[in-house]
Structures are given as structure tokens and as C-alpha cells.
Amino acid sequence: MLSKKIESLLNKQVELEASSSQYYLAMASWAQIKGYNGVSSFLYKHSDEERMHMLKLIDYINERGGHGLVPTLKAPPKEFKNVQHIFEQILTHEIAVSNEINKLVEQCLAGKDYTTHNFLQWYVSEQIEEESLARTLLDKLNLIGNDKGGMYLFDRDLGTLETEHDKKK
Ligand code: FEO
């Protein structure tokens, strides 16, 4: 059985994963209308992954006798400066998510909830992967700079990049 405190912290994480999903969905839609088909396809998949992270948490909370709550979300931004800026925002956002996961892990240890601690290890590894992917893509974009040809290839490659989402299909 979950303590009320851990249940509430897990529900906060549900909200964060849900808002991450919306955030990436807004980026995907922006990239699509700007003609970056590869970037938008990558971001749509990324948004789906965040929804999966949210669902996994809701299921866990419910399985442990709590109640996974569907949050009210603030609308994400509509406009983005450029693709590079999007990936900067993704990296910053994922670092913030990792910090929240780490705090949650600490609270589980403090409350001696080893089951939830164990459950959260999946998120700890996932965050390492997500941060590393965002850093790699941002490094590439920094190399490309204002080179239109480079950006064309980046977009094309991102459309064919196999992500965690593809592997789970
Ligand atoms: Fe579910 Fe990207 O953190």
C-alpha cells in the first residue's frame, strides 16, 4: 500500500509526464507546419513516449491501492523560434524531469518504500537515455549552425531514427 505522501508525489509525476507529452506534441505540430517532417515525426513519437510514461505511473499507483489522477494541464507554447531552440528546450526540460525523478527516489528511500524505489529505477535509466539523446541531437544542430543543407539532412535522418517508441512496437 502506498503512503499518502508517496501517492501524491507519484501523481505529481503523472502531471509532469502528461505535460511533457503535451509540450512535445506542440513542438511536433509546429515542426510539421514548418515543413520539418523528420523532426515532427520524431517529436510525435516522443510525445507518445511521454504519455506511456504517464500511463505506467497511473497503473502503478492504482495497483498499489492508490488513485492515479488525470491532471488539468496548462496549454503548451504554440510558437517556437527554430529547431535548435526546440532541442535546447527538450534538453533543459529532460534535465528538470530527471531532477524530479531523483527527488522522488530520495523520498522513497526516506519513507522506506522500497517497492516504489524499485519501480522508479526504470525511470532513472530512461532519463539517462533521454538526456543523452537530446544532447547528441543538440550537438549535431550546433555543428550544422545555419547550413541549410545540413539541416535538410538532419531532418531527413531524424525521420528514420529508430527510437524507444519504435522498438516497443
Ligand atoms: Fe518521461 Fe522525457 O521524461
Side-chain angles (χ1 to χ4, degrees):
M1 186 83 185
L2 287 172
S3 70
K4 281 288 157 210
K5 180 169 181 193
I6 296 293
E7 179 180 352
S8 148
L9 291 172
L10 287 170
N11 269 316
K12 265 181 70 188
Q13 192 61 34
V14 166
E15 184 175 345
L16 185 55
E17 302 290 348
S19 66
S20 304
S21 177
Q22 294 285 83
Y23 192 25
Y24 298 151
L25 186 58
M27 291 173 176
S29 179
W30 177 89
Q32 188 178 14
I33 61 164
K34 298 292 175 190
Y36 296 110
N37 292 340
V39 171
S40 94
S41 142
F42 170 82
L43 292 168
Y44 278 123
K45 285 191 280 188
H46 200 155
S47 168
D48 279 351
E49 272 188 43
E50 299 300 349
R51 180 176 155 78
M52 189 272 286
H53 298 172
M54 174 196 72
L55 292 175
K56 206 174 160 80
L57 279 159
I58 291 180
D59 184 59
Y60 177 79
I61 297 167
N62 291 342
E63 290 289 332
R64 298 282 321 281
H67 187 178
L69 302 174
V70 178
T72 308
L73 300 174
K74 259 190 13 210
K78 292 190 192 76
E79 295 298 333
F80 299 90
K81 208 160 73 189
N82 53 38
V83 170
Q84 182 162 355
H85 192 59
I86 280 185
F87 282 90
E88 280 165 8
Q89 286 183 304
I90 293 178
L91 180 58
T92 307
H93 186 72
E94 289 303 332
I95 291 172
V97 173
S98 299
N99 289 340
E100 291 309 310
I101 295 281
N102 290 340
K103 280 193 221 158
L104 201 42
V105 167
E106 267 172 40
Q107 288 298 322
C108 288
L109 284 180
K112 297 192 176 10
D113 183 345
Y114 301 116
T115 314
T116 306
H117 180 268
N118 186 45
F119 165 76
L120 288 172
Q121 295 313 302
W122 183 88
Y123 286 84
V124 171
S125 323
E126 183 71 13
Q127 283 312 119
I128 295 171
E129 275 183 38
E130 293 212 354
E131 275 188 42
S132 145
L133 179 59
R135 268 194 195 94
T136 306
L137 295 175
L138 194 53
D139 284 348
K140 284 190 187 188
L141 284 166
N142 286 334
L143 278 175
I144 291 166
N146 291 326
D147 175 9
K148 285 207 166 69
M151 192 59 219
Y152 172 83
L153 293 176
F154 177 85
D155 183 57
R156 193 195 61 183
D157 291 352
L158 212 50
T160 55
L161 185 77
E162 192 181 68
T163 61
E164 287 303 306
H165 182 266
D166 298 311
K167 288 183 214 153
K168 278 168 203 139
K169 270 190 186 160

